[in-house]
């Protein structure tokens, strides 16, 4: 699995990346059709299609890249905790599969499918693990052969007990969030944050909670998360991109098909070319006509210095809106 999807910035993850490529069962997951489909699903959705001056990180803006590095973090923590080989493989496989149900444009259009079909990426992901969606039959058979599939589902849903690695997925600062915030900054700004993902994972899961060292690292991460949402993901252009993509489908007056959910973005680019061309030019009249006012949920990530451990890390959400620029 010597893939350009893995970055070499975080050297502490090197052993875990190597371990993924040495485990034949995990490699089978990454070679399956449902996982390979994630190579054509953008990580931030519509935001990743905004016209940017640099394309150096384009190949890293996928759910496959994200999932591979979440799996590396899972293995990194599992090794640090001296998990058994079976438990380590389960948490790593769950990390590989946690986004397996993401549809094209990821979270940008997901509310539309939930409104119309009652399915989001979590429900679709569970159906993939059960082998009842798209081309997931062969993958599901392999999973049943090598894993406790119910444990995989519980891990992905954040419902597994901590002694089975459940906290890696359920904690307010979890391996999915650690990798996702880091990748959001990388793909939007074009350069990686100075704070390493392995350092955050070590502070969250391997060091004694509440120590000065771990608290300092986790505080920096929480501030980075606030920056990622408020200055990057929820920038005016980011909100406009998400809102336009969602409005595009709501205004089509067409009943969505379940097959759309398991498609790739190349399929969507052929079927909905206007959507993607307008994402490159959000000042055009068409996006403004569909969604002149962009509604979103503003998030403030702040630290409560009176608390210790994960209780320090608070989030406040409030409805907000912007008007698209002309």
């Amino acid at each position: 699995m010597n893939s350009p999807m893995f970055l070499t910035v975080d050297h502490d993850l090197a052993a875990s990346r190597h371990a993924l490529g040495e485990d034949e069962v995990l490699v089978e997951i990454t070679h399956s059709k449902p996982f390979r489909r994630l190579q054509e699903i953008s990580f931030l959705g519509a935001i990743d299609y905004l016209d940017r001056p640099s394309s150096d990180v384009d190949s890293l803006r996928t759910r496959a890249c994200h999932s591979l590095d979440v799996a590396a973090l899972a293995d990194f923590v599992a090794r640090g905790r001296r998990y058994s080989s079976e438990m380590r493989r389960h948490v790593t496989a769950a990390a590989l599969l946690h986004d397996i149900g993401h549809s094209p444009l990821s979270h940008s259009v997901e509310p539309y499918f939930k409104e119309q079909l009652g399915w989001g990426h979590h429900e679709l992901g569970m159906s993939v693990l059960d082998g009842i969606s798209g081309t997931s039959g062969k993958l599901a058979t392999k999973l049943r052969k090598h894993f406790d599939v119910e444990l995989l589902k519980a891990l992905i849903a954040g419902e597994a007990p901590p002694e089975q690695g459940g906290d890696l997925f359920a904690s307010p600062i979890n391996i999915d969030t650690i990798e996702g915030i880091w990748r959001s900054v990388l793909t939007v700004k074009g350069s990686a944050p100075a704070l390493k993902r392995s350092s955050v994972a070590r502070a969250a899961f391997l060091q004694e909670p509440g120590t000065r060292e771990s608290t300092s690292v986790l505080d920096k991460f929480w501030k980075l998360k606030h920056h990622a949402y408020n200055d990057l993901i929820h920038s005016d252009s980011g909100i406009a991109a998400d809102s336009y993509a969602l409005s595009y489908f709501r205004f089509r007056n067409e009943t969505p098909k379940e097959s759309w959910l398991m498609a790739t973005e190349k399929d969507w680019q052929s079927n909905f070319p206007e959507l993607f061309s307008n994402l490159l030019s959000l000042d055009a009249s068409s996006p403004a006509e569909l969604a002149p006012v962009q509604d979103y949920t503003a998030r403030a990530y702040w630290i409560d210095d009176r608390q210790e451990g994960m209780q320090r890390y608070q989030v406040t959400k409030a409805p907000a809106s912007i008007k698209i620029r002309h």
Side-chain angles (χ1 to χ4, degrees):
M1 199 184 298
N2 295 321
S3 167
M5 294 179 183
F6 283 138
L7 298 179
T8 58
V9 175
D10 198 333
H11 298 291
D12 288 340
L13 294 182
S16 292
R17 291 171 179 148
H18 178 74
L20 293 178
E22 293 295 308
D23 189 311
E24 293 182 2
V25 175
L26 297 177
V27 169
E28 285 185 352
I29 292 175
T30 65
H31 287 178
S32 68
K33 286 186 178 180
F35 190 89
R36 285 189 285 112
R37 186 183 69 89
L38 298 182
Q39 296 175 8
E40 297 182 25
I41 303 296
S42 55
F43 177 62
L44 286 175
I47 298 173
D48 283 328
Y49 283 87
L50 295 177
D51 192 16
R52 294 199 178 95
S54 172
S55 60
D56 291 344
V57 296
D58 281 354
S59 63
L60 304 173
R61 293 186 176 118
T62 72
R63 285 281 159 184
C65 293
H66 166 66
S67 297
L68 285 164
D69 275 355
V70 174
L73 283 172
D75 182 85
F76 172 75
V77 175
R79 287 174 180 272
R81 288 181 168 181
R82 300 183 185 277
Y83 281 174
S84 68
S85 58
E86 181 180 1
M87 187 179 298
R88 188 172 75 241
R89 179 182 275 177
H90 271 76
V91 297
T92 305
L96 282 173
L97 295 163
H98 81 284
D99 273 350
I100 201 72
H102 267 279
S103 298
L105 297 184
S106 296
H107 290 296
S108 299
V109 186
E110 184 174 13
Y112 168 74
F113 288 115
K114 295 200 79 168
E115 292 166 4
Q116 298 295 316
L117 302 174
W119 282 49
H121 78 276
H122 178 73
E123 293 81 9
L124 187 59
M126 295 300 104
S127 73
V128 170
L129 267 62
D130 287 333
I132 58 176
S133 288
T135 58
S136 60
K138 289 184 179 180
L139 173 61
T141 299
K142 291 176 182 177
L143 294 178
R144 287 193 296 270
K145 179 179 179 181
H146 297 287
F147 297 95
D148 177 345
V149 177
E150 293 307 311
L151 176 55
L152 291 180
K153 290 181 180 180
L155 285 165
I156 294 170
E159 297 171 352
E163 61 268 21
Q164 292 183 306
D167 58 330
L168 275 67
F169 300 84
S171 173
I173 299 179
N174 56 69
I175 55 175
D176 183 17
T177 299
I178 292 168
E179 211 294 318
I181 291 300
W182 184 91
R183 189 168 300 274
S184 297
V185 176
L186 170 71
T187 58
V188 176
K189 295 186 68 176
S191 58
L195 187 61
K196 295 195 301 182
R197 293 164 291 177
S198 61
S199 297
V200 182
R202 183 181 293 108
F205 302 111
L206 299 178
Q207 294 177 335
E208 187 70 25
T211 64
R212 180 178 296 181
E213 182 181 3
S214 64
T215 298
S216 174
V217 171
L218 296 180
D219 282 1
K220 290 177 182 177
F221 174 76
W222 208 244
K223 292 174 183 177
L224 181 67
K225 186 172 185 178
H226 180 84
H227 165 65
Y229 269 96
N230 288 277
D231 300 329
L232 304 177
I233 298 171
H234 285 169
S235 65
D236 287 0
S237 58
I239 294 165
D242 275 346
S243 297
Y244 171 64
L246 184 59
S247 298
Y248 175 87
F249 283 98
R250 285 176 172 164
F251 277 76
R252 280 181 62 83
N253 194 29
E254 178 182 358
T255 302
K257 302 176 178 63
E258 288 190 16
S259 60
W260 293 3
L261 278 70
M262 290 299 290
T264 68
E265 282 173 24
K266 284 187 177 179
D267 297 326
W268 278 26
Q269 288 169 21
S270 297
N271 295 329
F272 315 115
E274 183 184 25
L275 166 61
F276 291 89
S277 63
N278 277 333
L279 285 174
L280 298 176
S281 179
L282 281 172
D283 288 340
S285 60
S286 179
E289 289 173 1
L290 286 183
V293 177
Q294 321 290 337
D295 296 321
Y296 69 103
T297 300
R299 308 182 186 194
Y301 293 90
W302 54 281
I303 297 169
D304 186 348
D305 290 322
R306 300 167 300 176
Q307 303 289 338
E308 295 183 355
M310 290 298 169
Q311 296 300 318
R312 288 174 59 81
Y313 307 109
Q314 302 289 324
V315 57
T316 302
K317 300 180 182 181
S321 63
I322 66 165
K323 186 172 183 179
I324 195 168
R325 293 194 300 254
H326 290 278

